[in-house]
Amino acid sequence: VSDKIKVIDALIDTCDTLIIGGGMCFTFLLAQGKTVGTSLKEDEWVERASEMLQKAKDKGVSLLLPSDVVVADKFAEDARTETVSVDSIPSDMMGLDIGPETAKAYADAIAQAKTVFWNGPMGVFEMKAFEEGTKQVALAVAANAEADTIIGGGDSVAAVNKFDLASKMTFISTGGGASMELVQGEKLPGVEALRK
C-alpha cells in the first residue's frame, strides 16, 4: 500500500473499477475489519486504506477486493495450502494468492473493460502453488481483445511472459515505477525531454 497509495488515489479519480490483489489486499482487508493471519500487511497504512475505500465509494468506483484466498502455513513451494474465505483466514496461515471465486470475479470485471492498466501480480506466481490467480487475471486481460491493455512493471511483465501472453497485450512497460508515476500525473524526465 505504501508503494502504491498515490497511484490508487489517482486511479480512483479516473477509473470505473479498481482491482486490488497481491500482498496489498491484506491491508485493505484489515481496513474492512477482517483478520488476515500472518499475511503481509502494513498496520500503519490501514487507516489510509480505509480512506481509499471510502473515497472509491464516494466517487462511485467499484473497488474489488478478494472474497477468497489461497493460504499457506509457510512461504514455500511445498507449503500446506487451502482456499478460504477472507472472513476465515486462519491465524497461523498467510495469504499467498487470490482464490478461484475472486479470480472469476476479477476476470468478469476485466472482460467489461475498455482499458486495462495492470501493475502487480495477484499472488506469489513464481511458485506453482500460488500462480493460479495471476494466471487467470492474465488470461482475462489477454482475452479482452477490444480493450487497450497496458502492463506496467517487472512482476506483471514476468507473469505475462511466464504464461506466454505478451503478444496479446497492447503495450508492455518494464518500468513499473515510472508507469505508475505517469498514471499519477507526475512528469517523467525522459518524456519531458522528448517534448522539447
Side-chain angles (χ1 to χ4, degrees):
V1 177
S2 54
D3 289 343
K4 298 192 177 171
I5 199 72
K6 285 185 183 175
V7 78
I8 293 169
D9 200 30
L11 285 171
I12 289 173
D13 289 331
T14 57
C15 75
D16 301 309
T17 303
L18 188 61
I19 293 173
I20 306 240
M24 183 172 35
C25 75
F26 298 103
T27 302
F28 278 88
L29 292 172
L30 281 173
Q32 290 186 322
K34 301 187 187 311
T35 56
V36 298
T38 60
S39 305
L40 181 67
K41 58 186 177 290
E42 294 177 285
D43 291 317
E44 66 278 14
W45 286 89
V46 172
E47 189 175 329
R48 191 74 175 92
S50 182
E51 291 169 7
M52 291 295 100
L53 289 168
Q54 188 59 50
K55 179 180 178 181
K57 187 177 177 184
D58 293 346
K59 294 227 173 218
V61 172
S62 176
L63 195 153
L64 303 181
L65 289 168
S67 57
D68 63 340
V69 291
V70 177
V71 295
D73 61 347
K74 60 183 177 179
F75 187 84
E77 187 77 63
D78 64 345
R80 181 175 58 83
T81 66
E82 59 182 290
T83 301
V84 299
S85 162
V86 294
D87 294 316
S88 56
I89 297 174
S91 62
D92 60 345
M93 296 184 91
M94 64 183 76
L96 294 177
D97 195 11
I98 59 172
E101 181 182 288
T102 301
K104 182 179 184 330
Y106 288 8
D108 290 347
I110 291 164
Q112 307 300 313
K114 300 278 189 273
T115 302
V116 176
F117 174 70
W118 182 17
N119 177 276
M122 297 293 117
V124 187
F125 72 95
E126 299 89 346
M127 295 184 198
K128 186 99 177 129
F130 313 110
E131 73 175 9
E132 196 59 29
T134 301
K135 182 178 185 179
Q136 292 307 314
V137 166
L139 287 167
V141 175
N144 188 341
E146 302 299 310
D148 289 320
T149 52
I150 300 104
I151 313 303
D155 286 340
S156 303
V157 174
V160 166
N161 286 331
K162 177 179 182 176
F163 304 122
D164 200 25
L165 297 169
S167 64
K168 306 270 192 203
M169 306 304 166
T170 307
F171 183 77
I172 295 177
S173 168
T174 54
S179 60
M180 288 199 313
E181 286 176 19
L182 191 63
V183 169
Q184 289 165 207
E186 294 180 25
K187 293 183 178 182
L188 301 180
V191 174
E192 293 307 304
L194 290 172
R195 287 185 173 161
K196 292 177 182 171

